Amino acid sequence: MSRIAYVNGIYAPHREAAVHIEDRGYQFADGVYEVCEVRDGRLVDETRHLDRLARSLSELRMAWPVSRPALCVILREVVARNRVRDGLVYFQVTRGVARRDFMFPAHQRSSLVVTARSADRAALDTAAGQGIAVVTRPDNRWERVDIKTVGLLPNVLAKQAAKEAGAKEAWFVDANGYVTEGGSSNAWIIVGNTIQTRPAETGILRGVTRTTLLDLLAREGLKLKERPFKVGEALKADEAFITSATTIVTPVVKIDGKPVGSGKPGPVALKLRKAFHNIAELA
Ligand code: PDD
């Protein structure tokens, strides 16, 4: 079955779908995006993803490419046309096509690209059950990582370094030695009965999975501390894990080659992964 992408009003075969060479996303990384999990053909936490997109657009004074209700329709159409039951839908908005000039163009014609792809849910669950290794890298990103922009070069380099070290994710570490977040995920540890993660006010993207997990912790009566942690604390923790729309909750068993806790996926992280979709919005 051929894949279909949505580009500025057109549903096109994936291999032919293209944007203009002077799209500002291509020239300046002047764009924002979202990745939403698709589960049983439904969108997971769509409302929160669209709320965050609204915030990203507003922070960058970028116009909606289509109305929010229209975007909801397009997302579903792309999911349906690609027959995705389990997988993800990716949507990206850029400041549109204009002659290369740093200042905002006079027009307000944002570009919209939507793609969707299937994933093997059982294989991902099995892989998550093994846990992942992470490596640490200095956080060399800009200060506005709260905006979900397509400017991801530091993340690309950090995740490539992780891959070359045999790990699945990189954890960024700030100048004070505190873990900020992963290259494409939020970072957590569990010490005793307390689950700990960095507050979302500085240094990280406010992950939608993170926000929904906070709801789950409250519902389960689990103790939460929103406080930054150092790499040494993570190594001494009982468990560590990451969250994102693509990894849901995935245990971290190794940091820079050293084991976390027992060196095996932690029971609490695995339990949270199992319970996550009981609380997430499925629309
Ligand atoms: N990344 N931090 C960063 C830097 C991210 O890129 C992501 C998500 C997250 C987690 O956010 P959420 O829970 O809303 O997925 C945190 C997506 C999955 C990506 O770029 O593919």
Side-chain angles (χ1 to χ4, degrees):
M1 191 201 78
S2 61
R3 286 182 70 198
I4 300 292
Y6 173 96
V7 186
N8 294 326
I10 293 164
Y11 293 93
H14 193 269
R15 90 187 88 80
E16 286 163 27
V19 292
H20 194 274
I21 54 167
E22 285 197 312
D23 190 283
R24 289 178 63 94
Y26 181 61
Q27 301 238 332
F28 296 114
D30 190 359
V32 299
Y33 75 106
E34 286 294 328
V35 178
C36 193
E37 187 197 356
V38 179
R39 197 173 178 92
D40 297 326
R42 295 197 289 171
L43 272 60
V44 178
D45 281 328
E46 179 190 31
T47 305
R48 281 181 169 153
H49 282 286
L50 289 173
D51 287 351
R52 187 172 61 190
L53 178 69
R55 180 179 181 278
S56 294
L57 290 171
S58 140
E59 289 296 306
L60 297 177
R61 293 195 281 144
M62 208 177 279
W64 280 79
V66 294
S67 70
R68 180 166 168 153
L71 179 54
C72 292
V73 171
I74 295 165
L75 296 180
R76 276 170 186 72
E77 188 62 28
V78 174
V79 167
R81 287 190 189 219
N82 288 281
R83 301 210 178 92
V84 176
R85 248 193 98 61
D86 296 310
L88 60 86
V89 58
Y90 174 90
F91 42 118
Q92 172 176 318
V93 180
T94 73
R95 211 182 300 273
V97 177
R99 193 185 72 166
R100 187 176 183 279
D101 195 352
F102 284 80
M103 285 68 73
F104 295 174
H107 71 66
Q108 292 251 311
R109 288 192 300 273
S110 298
S111 295
L112 173 62
V113 168
V114 182
T115 57
R117 70 171 190 235
S118 298
D120 183 341
R121 189 163 126 194
L124 290 177
D125 282 340
T126 305
Q130 314 287 306
I132 60 161
V134 303
V135 296
T136 60
R137 308 292 296 168
D139 196 336
N140 55 1
R141 301 174 300 161
W142 73 328
E143 282 178 6
R144 295 308 308 275
V145 295
D146 57 303
I147 307 171
K148 197 163 173 61
T149 81
V150 296
L152 292 169
L153 191 50
N155 311 55
V156 166
L157 297 178
K159 287 180 74 90
Q160 179 63 24
K163 185 181 174 190
E164 286 169 14
K168 278 275 185 313
E169 178 60 300
W171 274 7
F172 286 122
V173 178
D174 71 16
N176 299 315
Y178 290 99
V179 173
T180 52
E181 64 181 331
S184 59
S185 59
N186 289 120
W188 307 67
I189 57 172
I190 307 179
V191 181
N193 65 353
T194 306
I195 300 177
Q196 202 176 315
T197 196
R198 186 182 176 102
E201 276 63 41
T202 61
I204 69 167
L205 179 77
R206 189 184 293 275
V208 167
T209 319
R210 177 188 183 281
T211 303
T212 298
L213 193 67
L214 295 184
D215 288 349
L216 179 62
L217 300 186
R219 196 186 72 176
E220 300 283 313
L222 294 165
K223 213 166 137 200
L224 167 78
K225 207 194 278 177
E226 282 188 272
R227 193 181 74 75
F229 58 84
K230 295 195 168 177
V231 178
E233 290 175 80
L235 282 168
K236 282 197 226 116
D238 297 299
E239 297 186 31
F241 63 91
I242 57 167
T243 57
S244 74
T246 46
T247 59
I248 313 171
V249 175
T250 295
V252 170
V253 292
K254 234 188 235 178
I255 303 172
D256 291 333
K258 299 181 204 107
V260 177
S262 64
K264 299 217 164 67
V268 178
L270 290 175
K271 201 178 102 188
L272 294 173
R273 181 183 176 91
K274 268 219 167 87
F276 183 82
H277 294 95
N278 300 335
I279 194 149
E281 175 196 43
L282 288 167

